[in-house]
Amino acid sequence: MLRIWGRTNSINVQKVMWAVGELDLPHERIDAGGAFGGLDTDAYGALNANRRVPTIEDDGVVVWESNACVRYLAARYGAGSLWAEDPAERARADRWMDWQAATLLPDMGVVFWGLIRTPADQRDPAAIEAAAGRMHGLFRILDQHLADRDFVTGRQFTMGDIPVGAACYRYHELPIERPRLANLAAWYERLQQRAPYREHVMIPLT
Ligand SMILES: N[C@@H](CCC(=O)N[C@@H](CS)C(=O)NCC(=O)O)C(=O)O
């Protein structure tokens, strides 16, 4: 049985659970991290020396790093749906997965942590505003990419939509002003038609 360690309000856990939902995999999710703790035990450290969530274990295979978990599940269970066998097609998904983690997350993290997880009297408004400005610019790039595509790789939903899709929900839920990005909005509408997205990603920001 596939096991996933992680708390539901973590975007990185949400990516994995969304993939699990899309693939309809039998699984057990174990609350870990945040208020649940459990990351400092020897048993968890043996699974993931970084002591972060998510971690998955599938038939003896242990994977950590959320995007690596999504890729593993897609490769193992999602050939032809989440996973493209053609390297060029798969690269079209990979680049947006890496873009979410390496390019978007630094600024999005400042805004999310600043506005959602930091008490009002301890916030750095200038840093939040500057990061929000950069974040809008990054979503504008994704918006332009989506101008002639239903999903990030083309006509079909793939693993490439998962990290940026999870980030897109947060973007729309953050208490900030956003530019009107029509292509992004249309894609976000399409994502909302997917039950696993609604179940695992579209939950209150905490
Ligand atoms: N790059 C890692 C980041 C993992 C990470 O930082 N996870 C956070 C939650 S989003 C965590 O474990 N925080 C400590 C905790 O939950 O106690 C990934 O994508 O999986």
Side-chain angles (χ1 to χ4, degrees):
M1 166 84 77
L2 171 66
R3 291 199 287 175
I4 304 106
W5 285 264
R7 54 189 166 84
T8 57
N9 65 344
S10 151
I11 188 172
N12 292 314
V13 175
Q14 290 170 2
K15 295 177 200 171
V16 176
M17 294 308 299
W18 184 7
V20 167
E22 291 286 345
L23 296 165
D24 200 19
L25 300 175
H27 66 278
E28 175 192 9
R29 187 187 57 77
I30 301 140
D31 276 322
F36 297 99
L39 307 186
D40 53 355
T41 64
D42 290 346
Y44 195 80
L47 287 172
N48 183 349
N50 297 288
R51 300 187 184 281
R52 298 271 163 169
V53 291
T55 301
I56 68 173
E57 191 267 324
D58 181 41
D59 202 15
V61 178
V62 175
V63 189
W64 39 262
E65 279 295 327
S66 56
N67 288 355
C69 297
V70 171
R71 283 192 181 96
Y72 166 82
L73 294 171
R76 180 139 193 188
Y77 300 108
S81 61
L82 295 189
W83 180 260
E85 293 295 350
D86 172 49
E89 200 178 330
R90 201 165 63 245
R92 286 196 281 277
D94 275 331
R95 62 190 181 182
W96 286 105
M97 297 176 79
D98 288 359
W99 181 86
Q100 182 273 333
T103 302
L104 180 62
L105 185 64
D107 289 321
M108 192 161 202
V110 170
V111 182
F112 175 78
W113 273 86
L115 294 179
I116 305 297
R117 293 197 179 152
T118 304
D121 61 347
Q122 292 170 33
R123 288 176 192 159
D124 181 344
I128 294 169
E129 194 182 332
R134 292 189 296 269
M135 178 175 65
H136 296 320
L138 292 168
F139 273 105
R140 208 176 279 284
I141 291 170
L142 179 57
D143 175 71
Q144 283 163 9
H145 174 73
L146 290 165
D148 52 1
R149 293 171 182 85
D150 288 342
F151 296 100
V152 298
T153 62
R155 302 184 70 126
Q156 186 181 320
F157 178 86
T158 69
M159 67 178 184
D161 292 282
I162 290 181
V164 280
C168 184
Y169 170 71
R170 287 203 165 184
Y171 184 53
H172 285 84
E173 289 297 295
L174 286 166
I176 55 172
E177 300 253 329
R178 280 170 297 279
R180 168 93 188 127
L181 300 173
N183 306 311
L184 188 82
W187 171 68
Y188 183 41
E189 283 285 324
R190 284 191 280 278
L191 297 182
Q192 291 178 57
Q193 289 162 23
R194 309 186 78 85
Y197 185 66
R198 295 195 302 274
E199 179 180 353
H200 298 293
V201 179
M202 299 187 72
I203 63 175
L205 303 190
T206 55

